[in-house]
Structure formats: structure tokens, C-alpha cells
Amino acid sequence: MKENVEILPVPTRILTDRDDIIDCVEKYTRGKIGKDDVISVAESVVAITQGRIVRPEDLKISRVAQFCCRFIPDIGSLASPHGMQSLMNVEGKWRVAAALFAGFLGKIVGKSGLFYKWGGEQTALIDDVTGTMPPFDKHIVYGPRDPEDVVARLKERLGCFGAVIADVNDLKRSRIVGVTDGTKGDLVAKLLIDNPFGNASQKTPICIIKNFRQYQEG
């Protein structure tokens, strides 16, 4: 029954690039997760354990990045020269600049989201400094590598109904980065809209969605 669905945040220690995300999730969810549940992991923490981080001071900022970042709203991770440069380093300087220009033209004719569509997959995934939990709040964090492979391995290891990697924040943005076959990511995103993950002192980058199978099939 849908009314039985429950979100259970799971406390952990601070996870770092020395950790294996699969082993850590298994350790901290042992005895808490069942065959009808879905495991959800914050995308920034998955990326951190993969070493997908960079310190702003290690980036060489181009003039193109300094120019382009001015056209991003202040609340965005790409609004700083460092955030924009980190994107250009992985997606290509001119690809990002062209996508930004296309996005501007698209808005004129009533089409939104073209920058994020054409700028590369990392355009929507990069977290600028302060975008994740300490001590990595001084780093820029890229999106996770091979998210579909990560969730498949999580599901197999835990024996649960499904697994997702989620990008959720306090601005009511909830997006699924990786999801196992048979799990309806749009339903998971709605359940996570109030951001049950804790990126500060809570240290709860893992959430178990109890009885999700019944919720999805009910």
C-alpha cells in the first residue's frame, strides 16, 4: 500500500575518496534494508568516493570561463569562474560556450534548458564549493562516474528491490542520476523532494525508501 512507504535516513561517518561506496552502503544499511526497499545515495557522495573532486586553487581560470559564468544565476554552481572552468575542463571550453549561447537564444524563442542539454552531462551535476558536506565543501565535486553501473551493483549486493543515485537540494530540486531497471525514478524523485539527505552535521548521505515495491505497484 502506498501509505506504508517510509524514508529512513542512514547515518554514516564522513566518506572519502579512500572508501568504496558499495562496501560502505552495505555496512551502514546492514539489518535495515529489505527486499521491497529502494536504496538511495546522494550523488555528491558517490562522486567523492570515486575521487571526482578538484580544489578551486588547482584550476587555471580562462578568460572564456570568467566571461561565461556571468550569465549563470548566482544560485547556480556554474556562476563562479571556478565552477565554470571545472565544467569546461571536462566538457570542452568551446562546447560549453556554444551551449550557453544556444541557451540564451533558446530563451528568446521560449525554449528553456538548451544549455544543460547541449553543454554535456556534467553541466547539471557539478557542485561548486559549499555544495556538499565538510570537509569537501572546499572542493568542486563532479557528477559520479558510471552511475548506472553503481546502482546495479548496489542492488545486487544488497538484495533490495532497486537502487538510485539522487541529486537533491533544499530548493525543491530532485533529480535521479542513476536508477536500476524496473524502478520508477520519477516516483523516487517525488519522494525525495524535501531532501532527506544530510550534507552537514547529519552525515546521512544514504536513505532507504521502505516498501517502495508496494508504493510503485499500488
Side-chain angles (χ1 to χ4, degrees), residues 140-157:
I140 294 169
V141 181
Y142 293 102
R145 180 177 57 251
D146 299 326
E148 300 297 336
D149 175 68
V150 174
V151 294
R153 290 190 291 128
L154 280 170
K155 177 181 178 179
E156 181 180 8
R157 179 77 69 89

PDB file of all heavy atoms in Angstrom, residues 140-157:
ATOM      1  N   ILE A 140      35.316  21.485  -5.553  1.00  0.00           N
ATOM      2  CA  ILE A 140      34.306  21.335  -6.600  1.00  0.00           C
ATOM      3  C   ILE A 140      34.142  19.837  -6.835  1.00  0.00           C
ATOM      4  O   ILE A 140      35.125  19.104  -6.966  1.00  0.00           O
ATOM      5  CB  ILE A 140      34.732  22.048  -7.886  1.00  0.00           C
ATOM      6  CG1 ILE A 140      34.785  23.564  -7.650  1.00  0.00           C
ATOM      7  CG2 ILE A 140      33.794  21.715  -9.035  1.00  0.00           C
ATOM      8  CD1 ILE A 140      35.450  24.335  -8.763  1.00  0.00           C
ATOM      9  N   VAL A 141      32.896  19.380  -6.850  1.00  0.00           N
ATOM     10  CA  VAL A 141      32.613  17.949  -6.982  1.00  0.00           C
ATOM     11  C   VAL A 141      31.895  17.705  -8.309  1.00  0.00           C
ATOM     12  O   VAL A 141      30.850  18.291  -8.578  1.00  0.00           O
ATOM     13  CB  VAL A 141      31.749  17.443  -5.812  1.00  0.00           C
ATOM     14  CG1 VAL A 141      31.496  15.939  -5.950  1.00  0.00           C
ATOM     15  CG2 VAL A 141      32.414  17.748  -4.467  1.00  0.00           C
ATOM     16  N   TYR A 142      32.471  16.841  -9.131  1.00  0.00           N
ATOM     17  CA  TYR A 142      31.843  16.463 -10.389  1.00  0.00           C
ATOM     18  C   TYR A 142      30.729  15.442 -10.142  1.00  0.00           C
ATOM     19  O   TYR A 142      30.607  14.871  -9.049  1.00  0.00           O
ATOM     20  CB  TYR A 142      32.868  15.854 -11.337  1.00  0.00           C
ATOM     21  CG  TYR A 142      33.915  16.829 -11.825  1.00  0.00           C
ATOM     22  CD1 TYR A 142      35.200  16.843 -11.299  1.00  0.00           C
ATOM     23  CD2 TYR A 142      33.611  17.746 -12.829  1.00  0.00           C
ATOM     24  CE1 TYR A 142      36.168  17.739 -11.752  1.00  0.00           C
ATOM     25  CE2 TYR A 142      34.561  18.638 -13.292  1.00  0.00           C
ATOM     26  CZ  TYR A 142      35.830  18.632 -12.748  1.00  0.00           C
ATOM     27  OH  TYR A 142      36.765  19.531 -13.201  1.00  0.00           O
ATOM     28  N   GLY A 143      29.941  15.196 -11.163  1.00  0.00           N
ATOM     29  CA  GLY A 143      28.955  14.135 -11.070  1.00  0.00           C
ATOM     30  C   GLY A 143      29.630  12.777 -11.025  1.00  0.00           C
ATOM     31  O   GLY A 143      30.783  12.621 -11.442  1.00  0.00           O
ATOM     32  N   PRO A 144      28.939  11.764 -10.539  1.00  0.00           N
ATOM     33  CA  PRO A 144      29.546  10.429 -10.416  1.00  0.00           C
ATOM     34  C   PRO A 144      29.831   9.781 -11.762  1.00  0.00           C
ATOM     35  O   PRO A 144      29.163  10.053 -12.759  1.00  0.00           O
ATOM     36  CB  PRO A 144      28.495   9.640  -9.631  1.00  0.00           C
ATOM     37  CG  PRO A 144      27.208  10.349  -9.903  1.00  0.00           C
ATOM     38  CD  PRO A 144      27.554  11.795 -10.056  1.00  0.00           C
ATOM     39  N   ARG A 145      30.807   8.904 -11.769  1.00  0.00           N
ATOM     40  CA  ARG A 145      31.174   8.152 -12.962  1.00  0.00           C
ATOM     41  C   ARG A 145      30.341   6.861 -13.026  1.00  0.00           C
ATOM     42  O   ARG A 145      30.157   6.178 -12.005  1.00  0.00           O
ATOM     43  CB  ARG A 145      32.666   7.818 -12.928  1.00  0.00           C
ATOM     44  CG  ARG A 145      33.189   7.024 -14.117  1.00  0.00           C
ATOM     45  CD  ARG A 145      34.685   6.807 -14.016  1.00  0.00           C
ATOM     46  NE  ARG A 145      35.079   6.141 -12.779  1.00  0.00           N
ATOM     47  CZ  ARG A 145      35.718   6.733 -11.777  1.00  0.00           C
ATOM     48  NH1 ARG A 145      36.048   8.008 -11.864  1.00  0.00           N
ATOM     49  NH2 ARG A 145      36.035   6.053 -10.689  1.00  0.00           N
ATOM     50  N   ASP A 146      29.834   6.520 -14.189  1.00  0.00           N
ATOM     51  CA  ASP A 146      29.087   5.280 -14.432  1.00  0.00           C
ATOM     52  C   ASP A 146      27.984   5.037 -13.396  1.00  0.00           C
ATOM     53  O   ASP A 146      27.949   3.991 -12.731  1.00  0.00           O
ATOM     54  CB  ASP A 146      30.048   4.083 -14.438  1.00  0.00           C
ATOM     55  CG  ASP A 146      31.104   4.179 -15.513  1.00  0.00           C
ATOM     56  OD1 ASP A 146      30.800   4.727 -16.591  1.00  0.00           O
ATOM     57  OD2 ASP A 146      32.234   3.711 -15.280  1.00  0.00           O
ATOM     58  N   PRO A 147      27.061   5.979 -13.228  1.00  0.00           N
ATOM     59  CA  PRO A 147      26.025   5.819 -12.197  1.00  0.00           C
ATOM     60  C   PRO A 147      25.153   4.582 -12.390  1.00  0.00           C
ATOM     61  O   PRO A 147      24.734   3.962 -11.402  1.00  0.00           O
ATOM     62  CB  PRO A 147      25.203   7.112 -12.315  1.00  0.00           C
ATOM     63  CG  PRO A 147      25.495   7.637 -13.683  1.00  0.00           C
ATOM     64  CD  PRO A 147      26.903   7.245 -13.982  1.00  0.00           C
ATOM     65  N   GLU A 148      24.897   4.196 -13.643  1.00  0.00           N
ATOM     66  CA  GLU A 148      24.057   3.024 -13.874  1.00  0.00           C
ATOM     67  C   GLU A 148      24.743   1.739 -13.390  1.00  0.00           C
ATOM     68  O   GLU A 148      24.092   0.829 -12.877  1.00  0.00           O
ATOM     69  CB  GLU A 148      23.695   2.912 -15.356  1.00  0.00           C
ATOM     70  CG  GLU A 148      22.919   4.103 -15.911  1.00  0.00           C
ATOM     71  CD  GLU A 148      21.565   4.288 -15.250  1.00  0.00           C
ATOM     72  OE1 GLU A 148      21.016   3.299 -14.719  1.00  0.00           O
ATOM     73  OE2 GLU A 148      21.049   5.421 -15.268  1.00  0.00           O
ATOM     74  N   ASP A 149      26.047   1.694 -13.538  1.00  0.00           N
ATOM     75  CA  ASP A 149      26.801   0.540 -13.041  1.00  0.00           C
ATOM     76  C   ASP A 149      26.793   0.515 -11.517  1.00  0.00           C
ATOM     77  O   ASP A 149      26.652  -0.553 -10.906  1.00  0.00           O
ATOM     78  CB  ASP A 149      28.236   0.594 -13.561  1.00  0.00           C
ATOM     79  CG  ASP A 149      29.095  -0.520 -12.987  1.00  0.00           C
ATOM     80  OD1 ASP A 149      28.849  -1.694 -13.327  1.00  0.00           O
ATOM     81  OD2 ASP A 149      30.014  -0.216 -12.187  1.00  0.00           O
ATOM     82  N   VAL A 150      26.923   1.681 -10.895  1.00  0.00           N
ATOM     83  CA  VAL A 150      26.930   1.759  -9.421  1.00  0.00           C
ATOM     84  C   VAL A 150      25.610   1.263  -8.850  1.00  0.00           C
ATOM     85  O   VAL A 150      25.585   0.457  -7.909  1.00  0.00           O
ATOM     86  CB  VAL A 150      27.227   3.193  -8.953  1.00  0.00           C
ATOM     87  CG1 VAL A 150      27.086   3.286  -7.428  1.00  0.00           C
ATOM     88  CG2 VAL A 150      28.622   3.619  -9.368  1.00  0.00           C
ATOM     89  N   VAL A 151      24.489   1.736  -9.397  1.00  0.00           N
ATOM     90  CA  VAL A 151      23.201   1.311  -8.833  1.00  0.00           C
ATOM     91  C   VAL A 151      22.943  -0.173  -9.077  1.00  0.00           C
ATOM     92  O   VAL A 151      22.351  -0.851  -8.231  1.00  0.00           O
ATOM     93  CB  VAL A 151      22.036   2.175  -9.376  1.00  0.00           C
ATOM     94  CG1 VAL A 151      22.174   3.607  -8.895  1.00  0.00           C
ATOM     95  CG2 VAL A 151      21.927   2.123 -10.897  1.00  0.00           C
ATOM     96  N   ALA A 152      23.393  -0.688 -10.212  1.00  0.00           N
ATOM     97  CA  ALA A 152      23.215  -2.117 -10.479  1.00  0.00           C
ATOM     98  C   ALA A 152      23.982  -2.952  -9.458  1.00  0.00           C
ATOM     99  O   ALA A 152      23.471  -3.964  -8.952  1.00  0.00           O
ATOM    100  CB  ALA A 152      23.670  -2.448 -11.901  1.00  0.00           C
ATOM    101  N   ARG A 153      25.194  -2.517  -9.138  1.00  0.00           N
ATOM    102  CA  ARG A 153      25.993  -3.252  -8.144  1.00  0.00           C
ATOM    103  C   ARG A 153      25.416  -3.118  -6.743  1.00  0.00           C
ATOM    104  O   ARG A 153      25.476  -4.056  -5.948  1.00  0.00           O
ATOM    105  CB  ARG A 153      27.442  -2.774  -8.185  1.00  0.00           C
ATOM    106  CG  ARG A 153      28.162  -3.208  -9.461  1.00  0.00           C
ATOM    107  CD  ARG A 153      29.649  -2.961  -9.397  1.00  0.00           C
ATOM    108  NE  ARG A 153      29.967  -1.542  -9.420  1.00  0.00           N
ATOM    109  CZ  ARG A 153      30.743  -0.936  -8.529  1.00  0.00           C
ATOM    110  NH1 ARG A 153      31.268  -1.617  -7.522  1.00  0.00           N
ATOM    111  NH2 ARG A 153      31.003   0.349  -8.644  1.00  0.00           N
ATOM    112  N   LEU A 154      24.851  -1.949  -6.439  1.00  0.00           N
ATOM    113  CA  LEU A 154      24.204  -1.773  -5.138  1.00  0.00           C
ATOM    114  C   LEU A 154      23.021  -2.717  -4.975  1.00  0.00           C
ATOM    115  O   LEU A 154      22.864  -3.379  -3.941  1.00  0.00           O
ATOM    116  CB  LEU A 154      23.744  -0.330  -4.969  1.00  0.00           C
ATOM    117  CG  LEU A 154      24.792   0.698  -4.574  1.00  0.00           C
ATOM    118  CD1 LEU A 154      24.223   2.111  -4.687  1.00  0.00           C
ATOM    119  CD2 LEU A 154      25.289   0.455  -3.151  1.00  0.00           C
ATOM    120  N   LYS A 155      22.196  -2.786  -5.993  1.00  0.00           N
ATOM    121  CA  LYS A 155      21.027  -3.664  -5.931  1.00  0.00           C
ATOM    122  C   LYS A 155      21.443  -5.126  -5.765  1.00  0.00           C
ATOM    123  O   LYS A 155      20.872  -5.860  -4.944  1.00  0.00           O
ATOM    124  CB  LYS A 155      20.179  -3.500  -7.196  1.00  0.00           C
ATOM    125  CG  LYS A 155      18.972  -4.429  -7.243  1.00  0.00           C
ATOM    126  CD  LYS A 155      18.171  -4.243  -8.519  1.00  0.00           C
ATOM    127  CE  LYS A 155      16.998  -5.221  -8.560  1.00  0.00           C
ATOM    128  NZ  LYS A 155      16.164  -5.050  -9.781  1.00  0.00           N
ATOM    129  N   GLU A 156      22.435  -5.532  -6.529  1.00  0.00           N
ATOM    130  CA  GLU A 156      22.895  -6.926  -6.450  1.00  0.00           C
ATOM    131  C   GLU A 156      23.480  -7.239  -5.075  1.00  0.00           C
ATOM    132  O   GLU A 156      23.185  -8.278  -4.483  1.00  0.00           O
ATOM    133  CB  GLU A 156      23.934  -7.188  -7.534  1.00  0.00           C
ATOM    134  CG  GLU A 156      24.459  -8.614  -7.534  1.00  0.00           C
ATOM    135  CD  GLU A 156      25.486  -8.847  -8.627  1.00  0.00           C
ATOM    136  OE1 GLU A 156      25.906  -7.870  -9.281  1.00  0.00           O
ATOM    137  OE2 GLU A 156      25.872 -10.015  -8.820  1.00  0.00           O
ATOM    138  N   ARG A 157      24.293  -6.330  -4.550  1.00  0.00           N
ATOM    139  CA  ARG A 157      24.942  -6.568  -3.254  1.00  0.00           C
ATOM    140  C   ARG A 157      23.932  -6.588  -2.107  1.00  0.00           C
ATOM    141  O   ARG A 157      24.038  -7.426  -1.199  1.00  0.00           O
ATOM    142  CB  ARG A 157      25.985  -5.485  -3.004  1.00  0.00           C
ATOM    143  CG  ARG A 157      26.716  -5.602  -1.656  1.00  0.00           C
ATOM    144  CD  ARG A 157      27.779  -6.677  -1.663  1.00  0.00           C
ATOM    145  NE  ARG A 157      28.883  -6.284  -2.517  1.00  0.00           N
ATOM    146  CZ  ARG A 157      29.935  -5.575  -2.092  1.00  0.00           C
ATOM    147  NH1 ARG A 157      30.017  -5.161  -0.842  1.00  0.00           N
ATOM    148  NH2 ARG A 157      30.920  -5.278  -2.933  1.00  0.00           N
TER     149      ARG A 157
END
